[in-house]
Amino acid sequence: MTTIEHHDLHHDFPEMSEQIRSLKMKDRHFARLFDEYHELDREVRKIEEDVEPTSDEHLEQLKMRRVHLKDDLYTMLKQA
């Protein structure tokens, strides 16, 4: 059995935990992207764990969207 990696922002950027908390409370755009990112991550994990079947193409599209969201969120965190 393979272990599915979690891509939670607090896990990936532990040094930015305070900025993440602050932006989630102060910046509605960041909060919306943060929620969208984590919903997408949950969906990808369900597919990877074979809980929710889908096509490889759809899974790759979801992963690409997750990467783009993470990049946007990281850029916002660096500027905070």
Side-chain angles (χ1 to χ4, degrees), residues 61-77:
Q61 289 172 347
L62 293 174
K63 286 181 174 182
M64 285 305 296
R65 177 71 183 137
R66 182 176 65 182
V67 166
H68 291 297
L69 277 170
K70 183 183 254 181
D71 288 346
D72 291 347
L73 290 163
Y74 183 69
T75 298
M76 293 171 79
L77 285 166

Side-chain angles (χ1 to χ4, degrees), residues 38-47 52 58 62:
H38 283 90
E39 182 58 39
L40 199 53
D41 187 49
R42 278 190 290 277
E43 190 175 343
V44 168
R45 278 203 322 270
K46 283 183 192 173
I47 293 167
E52 231 173 78
H58 181 67
L62 293 174

